[in-house]
Amino acid sequence: MTRNYSHVYTHTYRLTAAQCNAQSELAPAMLVQQIIEVSTEHADLLGIGFERLRHDDNLWVLSRIAFEMKRYPRLLEHYSLSTWIEGYNRHFSERNFEIRGEGGEVLGYARTVWFSINMTTRRPANLESITEIARTISDHPCPIERQGKIRPVNPPQTVHNYTFMLSDIDVNRHVNSARYVELILNQFTLDTFDECFLSRFEIEYKHECHFGKQVEVCSAFDRDATVTAIMLADTPICLARSILTMRDKKLSFDNQ
Amino acid sequence: MTRNYSHVYTHTYRLTAAQCNAQSELAPAMLVQQIIEVSTEHADLLGIGFERLRHDDNLWVLSRIAFEMKRYPRLLEHYSLSTWIEGYNRHFSERNFEIRGEGGEVLGYARTVWFSINMTTRRPANLESITEIARTISDHPCPIERQGKIRPVNPPQTVHNYTFMLSDIDVNRHVNSARYVELILNQFTLDTFDECFLSRFEIEYKHECHFGKQVEVCSAFDRDATVTAIMLADTPICLARSILTMRDKKLSFDNQ
């Protein structure tokens, strides 16, 4: 089988002390911020970024992220995020990622799903008009499972209240996508993250949330994962599944 | 007068959308993170970084930051932080910064004060043994005032409770220095930051704080500034003065 591996874009980073979490690693929320950053850069380079969509009065909206890591980049490590478009249809586009550490070691993979909506109506736009996407598809492998449906557990086992403040709001005047990841992982203790690491994470962004809104962050352990719902009264803002693995357990990817 | 402008280190950045705040600018807390980042890089280059201090069982501790900005770097703008050491004595070292925007426009200046403490005793170390600092002094001008003493206002006008969670802890296992800045500015509303910007900010880090601790963020308006104290019971963790200026007001630096 011939594979088309072109149209892969790579951004290289070095993890500084100021960016590290308590475990001297790249924090999962910072990984999410960099996934968004690299997506934006690549879409702009391909001519299918926010500028192109604005032409039709549309914009990109991040709907889902799933990632699996066998370990996270460490303090002072050079690491890279490579991204490519796996496919698209009229409703959404699928963009994948490969995260590599020093010396090219594969540390993990991510899958993201992006919708396009109309800026005025806030209704889904038809991606078929963006014909430029067709020539950007890559067959680069992404050997992690697609995200499953996330069902909140009722009643939750832990609930925290949080009111969104100035520092939580991003350039779109909504709550920052990476900030939700921090609130979700804040349901865990420091001891838990010293013993375990986040080996798989899935998040589904359901509704936008704004400055001053008070939400409940509700979590419950369900089979192998912690399921978290951030709720604005009865409206789910986002849903997440977090799988933690003991740090001494060795993980690998099948198709590496 | 002959000025020694060597020993100035510059790091260039570009402000991505994912890093912007709600005003499409570099957030003050991110500026503080980058001030720490660039300080670390420069000290390492000069051979007076954490590695050198560890040799004597000491470490650097950031004690104070004061900065003045006439505006903040904007979305997609290339900007730079230049840093140099103004002076040192046996107790502390003073490191300054110049922040420039696209085309070299001076956007602001910062002053920082760093102590060294012994890792074991947590007592102040004597910087005179780090003779390497002497040959790194620069006369580069920094036309903003030194930080004054910050006195908390009692009783405060607004108080928020906050418990430090997983995402607030940094590589030293303390609360992240930039996170305090977010909590302090979270005392303001989004509307306030749409109308005004933080033209001068001073922070004094008094005590380390840890995971799970619940603090009170206490603010009061005093003459031209908002004075904020982050208190762990009766112990001040940090003190800050924030001066906001209307966005349409033009500011300049005398010695530019």
Side-chain angles (χ1 to χ4, degrees):
Chain A
M1 179 184 157
T2 312
R3 285 177 177 275
N4 174 12
Y5 281 10
S6 63
H7 304 307
V8 175
Y9 170 79
T10 299
H11 187 133
T12 302
Y13 295 91
R14 178 165 177 267
L15 189 62
T16 66
Q19 293 171 339
C20 274
N21 64 7
Q23 290 75 35
S24 297
E25 293 172 346
L26 180 69
M30 180 64 81
L31 174 62
V32 165
Q33 186 184 306
Q34 293 178 339
I35 282 173
I36 297 170
E37 192 167 83
V38 172
S39 301
T40 307
E41 288 170 1
H42 189 215
D44 283 345
L45 265 179
L46 293 172
I48 56 168
F50 283 92
E51 285 300 324
R52 169 65 185 85
L53 267 69
R54 196 197 317 240
H55 180 76
D56 300 331
D57 201 30
N58 296 332
L59 56 85
W60 285 117
V61 176
L62 178 58
S63 167
R64 293 177 185 195
I65 309 174
F67 60 79
E68 264 181 52
M69 300 293 283
K70 65 175 191 181
R71 73 166 177 86
Y72 287 80
R74 299 182 183 123
L75 174 60
L76 301 184
E77 185 170 4
H78 287 92
Y79 65 100
S80 66
L81 269 68
S82 294
T83 184
W84 64 95
I85 298 175
E86 183 178 273
Y88 79 107
N89 59 32
R90 80 159 83 169
H91 298 300
F92 59 83
S93 160
E94 289 175 291
R95 171 182 284 286
N96 299 338
F97 296 81
E98 185 179 80
I99 299 104
R100 286 183 183 261
E102 199 95 32
E105 178 196 4
V106 176
L107 306 186
Y109 291 95
R111 294 180 167 276
T112 61
V113 176
W114 298 76
F115 284 83
S116 172
I117 64 166
N118 184 275
M119 279 191 231
T120 318
T121 65
R122 310 305 276 188
R123 298 286 308 154
N126 188 337
L127 282 178
E128 282 173 337
S129 66
I130 319 288
T131 50
E132 296 93 325
I133 301 184
R135 54 174 172 74
T136 65
I137 307 292
S138 170
D139 291 333
H140 198 88
C142 188
I144 66 167
E145 272 186 41
R146 281 194 166 65
Q147 186 170 323
K149 189 163 172 58
I150 307 173
R151 289 183 186 81
V153 179
N154 279 310
Q157 289 154 352
T158 58
V159 178
H160 282 108
N161 291 311
Y162 187 78
T163 302
F164 290 114
M165 312 281 262
L166 186 72
S167 65
D168 303 318
I169 308 302
D170 75 4
V171 68
N172 297 311
R173 314 286 289 182
H174 309 144
V175 175
N176 189 311
S177 305
R179 183 63 183 140
Y180 291 121
V181 179
E182 289 188 336
L183 291 182
I184 290 160
L185 299 182
N186 278 351
Q187 300 281 89
F188 297 105
T189 66
L190 190 58
D191 284 347
T192 300
F193 260 77
D194 286 341
E195 283 168 28
C196 304
F197 72 102
L198 186 67
S199 55
R200 183 171 168 98
F201 182 74
E202 302 178 358
I203 185 167
E204 190 176 343
Y205 296 104
K206 305 279 283 182
H207 288 93
E208 296 164 351
C209 199
H210 300 93
F211 177 82
K213 297 294 182 193
Q214 191 185 342
V215 292
E216 284 186 329
V217 187
C218 310
S219 292
F221 197 75
D222 183 34
R223 280 173 298 179
D224 61 339
T226 300
V227 175
T228 306
I230 298 184
M231 303 294 297
L232 179 65
D234 292 334
T235 304
I237 300 301
C238 57
L239 303 172
R241 287 182 79 239
S242 309
I243 299 180
L244 297 182
T245 300
M246 294 299 286
R247 286 188 174 268
D248 52 10
K249 196 166 167 188
K250 288 275 170 283
L251 301 179
S252 68
F253 297 104
D254 297 331
N255 300 15
Q256 203 169 301
Chain B
M1 179 184 158
T2 312
R3 284 176 178 277
N4 174 12
Y5 281 12
S6 63
H7 303 307
V8 175
Y9 171 78
T10 300
H11 187 133
T12 303
Y13 295 90
R14 179 167 176 265
L15 189 61
T16 66
Q19 294 171 337
C20 273
N21 64 6
Q23 289 76 36
S24 297
E25 293 171 347
L26 179 68
M30 180 65 81
L31 174 62
V32 165
Q33 186 184 307
Q34 291 177 342
I35 282 174
I36 297 169
E37 192 164 85
V38 172
S39 301
T40 307
E41 288 170 3
H42 189 215
D44 284 345
L45 265 179
L46 293 173
I48 55 167
F50 284 92
E51 285 301 326
R52 169 64 184 86
L53 267 67
R54 197 195 319 237
H55 180 77
D56 301 330
D57 200 30
N58 296 331
L59 54 86
W60 285 117
V61 175
L62 177 58
S63 167
R64 294 176 182 194
I65 309 175
F67 60 79
E68 263 181 53
M69 300 292 285
K70 63 175 193 181
R71 74 166 177 82
Y72 286 81
R74 299 183 182 120
L75 174 60
L76 301 185
E77 184 170 3
H78 287 91
Y79 64 100
S80 65
L81 269 67
S82 294
T83 185
W84 64 95
I85 298 175
E86 185 180 89
Y88 79 106
N89 57 34
R90 79 159 86 170
H91 299 299
F92 58 84
S93 158
E94 289 176 290
R95 171 182 284 286
N96 299 338
F97 295 82
E98 182 179 80
I99 300 104
R100 286 181 182 263
E102 199 96 30
E105 179 196 4
V106 176
L107 305 186
Y109 291 96
R111 293 180 169 276
T112 60
V113 175
W114 298 75
F115 284 83
S116 173
I117 62 166
N118 184 275
M119 279 190 227
T120 316
T121 64
R122 311 307 273 187
R123 298 289 307 157
N126 188 339
L127 282 177
E128 281 173 340
S129 66
I130 319 289
T131 50
E132 297 93 325
I133 300 184
R135 53 175 173 74
T136 65
I137 307 292
S138 170
D139 290 333
H140 198 88
C142 187
I144 66 167
E145 271 184 42
R146 282 192 166 66
Q147 188 170 322
K149 187 162 173 60
I150 308 174
R151 289 184 186 79
V153 180
N154 279 312
Q157 289 154 356
T158 58
V159 177
H160 282 107
N161 291 310
Y162 186 78
T163 302
F164 291 113
M165 312 280 264
L166 187 72
S167 66
D168 303 318
I169 309 301
D170 75 5
V171 67
N172 296 312
R173 314 285 290 184
H174 309 143
V175 174
N176 188 312
S177 306
R179 182 64 181 141
Y180 290 121
V181 179
E182 290 188 335
L183 291 182
I184 290 160
L185 299 181
N186 278 351
Q187 299 280 88
F188 298 105
T189 66
L190 190 57
D191 285 347
T192 301
F193 260 77
D194 286 342
E195 283 168 30
C196 303
F197 72 101
L198 186 67
S199 56
R200 183 172 168 99
F201 182 74
E202 300 176 359
I203 186 167
E204 189 177 344
Y205 296 104
K206 305 279 284 182
H207 288 93
E208 296 164 351
C209 199
H210 300 93
F211 177 82
K213 296 294 180 193
Q214 189 184 342
V215 291
E216 285 188 328
V217 188
C218 309
S219 291
F221 197 75
D222 182 34
R223 282 172 297 176
D224 61 339
T226 301
V227 175
T228 306
I230 299 185
M231 303 293 297
L232 178 67
D234 293 333
T235 304
I237 300 301
C238 57
L239 303 172
R241 287 181 78 239
S242 309
I243 299 180
L244 297 182
T245 299
M246 294 298 287
R247 286 187 172 270
D248 51 11
K249 196 166 168 190
K250 289 275 169 281
L251 301 180
S252 68
F253 296 103
D254 297 332
N255 300 15
Q256 204 171 302

